Each structure stands twice: as structure tokens, then as C-alpha cells.
Amino acid sequence: MNWGIKILIFYIGFLIIMLVSVFFAMNSGVDLVTDRYYEKELKYQEQIDKTQRTKLLTKKTEIQILDGSIKINFPVLPDRNNSKNSILLYRPSDLKKDLKIEISTDSLGVQIIPTEKLSKGFWKIKINWVSNETEYYAENVLSVP
């Protein structure tokens, strides 16, 4: 076997590897954090303000993973029937598994979310709520067993 054949085999192998790489890259899904990222960017200062107000509270938002559920203790009670009260369970690896829940706490400010609909693994929980016309925001990372 001479040098010309070895170089030709090398180039053909390189071409095959590149074509396979391009094929897999074109067929892999890309999920954005949000489809409306420009709108979210414009409202980001509001998000920062809500986060700062939440940090100033004496009692913090407590999130615990119990057997088969997620328990959230709110530091201040959310206003009932406010459309801004929501919990978003965000799955970074798969946008289709995101889950948005309305906040409905008991009299102690506790909400229980069953985890039976959630896949095992890494989740982010994003909580927006309003109390006495003041907006709050908390975010935490969860690992659902």
C-alpha cells in the first residue's frame, strides 16, 4: 500500500465522521429556556426587585422533598385568587416536561405538590407570589428521586 492510498483512506474516513456528526447535530432538539426571551429580558429588573424583596424577609421560603411530594413553606401568605401566584417546575433537559401549578396554600402557608407526575432527576422550581400587593420570587434547585 502506497502513500496515496493511505491519504485517500484518511480523507474518506474524515469525511464520513464529519457527515455523521452533522447528521446527529441537525437531528438533536434544542430547547430554549423560554420562547419569549426578549420580553423576559426587558422585565428582568422587576425580577431582580422581587428577588431582593424575598431575600429581605426574616423567614425564608423552605422547600423540602418528602416521600412522594414536595413541601413548600411560604414566608408570607400569598393572596388568594391572584393570577400572578404560580409555581413553575422547570426541567432544563426537556421543555415538554415543565409543569406550571397555581398556588393554593393551607392556612399555615404550606403547599404540597405530588411528585408522581415528575420524572426523576434535576428540576428547578420557580415561585412567583403576591402578598399585600407586594410581589415576591424564589428559585431553588431540586433533585427528584
Side-chain angles (χ1 to χ4, degrees), residues 8-21:
L8 181 65
I9 291 171
F10 174 77
Y11 279 127
I12 291 173
F14 179 75
L15 181 65
I16 290 171
I17 290 172
M18 292 305 292
L19 289 174
V20 168
S21 298

Side-chain angles (χ1 to χ4, degrees), residues 85-140:
N85 290 342
S86 66
I87 299 171
L88 174 66
L89 292 162
Y90 168 67
R91 178 77 175 200
S93 63
D94 190 358
L95 186 65
K96 295 173 189 149
K97 293 184 180 179
D98 290 357
L99 183 63
K100 188 171 185 175
I101 303 168
E102 291 183 26
I103 295 176
S104 59
T105 63
D106 61 11
S107 60
L108 299 174
V110 175
Q111 179 156 353
I112 305 292
I113 301 169
T115 58
E116 56 199 28
K117 294 181 182 178
L118 302 178
S119 301
K120 294 179 182 180
F122 181 77
W123 290 82
K124 283 188 177 181
I125 185 167
K126 299 177 180 185
I127 308 169
N128 281 296
W129 78 98
V130 178
S131 180
N132 298 325
E133 298 181 13
T134 305
E135 295 184 32
Y136 298 96
Y137 175 79
E139 186 174 315
N140 212 332

Side-chain angles (χ1 to χ4, degrees), residues 8-70:
L8 181 65
I9 291 171
F10 174 77
Y11 279 127
I12 291 173
F14 179 75
L15 181 65
I16 290 171
I17 290 172
M18 292 305 292
L19 289 174
V20 168
S21 298
V22 168
F23 175 76
F24 282 118
M26 296 296 286
N27 289 326
S28 66
V30 177
D31 292 331
L32 297 174
V33 173
T34 180
D35 293 333
R36 297 172 297 186
Y37 60 90
Y38 187 70
E39 284 178 37
K40 294 272 188 177
E41 183 66 30
L42 292 176
K43 294 183 179 183
Y44 192 64
Q45 186 59 44
E46 293 175 19
Q47 189 79 3
I48 293 171
D49 295 340
K50 289 192 276 186
T51 304
Q52 290 300 324
R53 279 193 293 272
T54 306
K55 287 181 181 178
L56 293 175
L57 295 171
T58 54
K59 186 180 172 190
K60 303 299 179 200
T61 307
E62 297 174 7
I63 301 171
Q64 298 172 326
I65 297 182
L66 305 173
D67 190 33
S69 64
I70 299 170

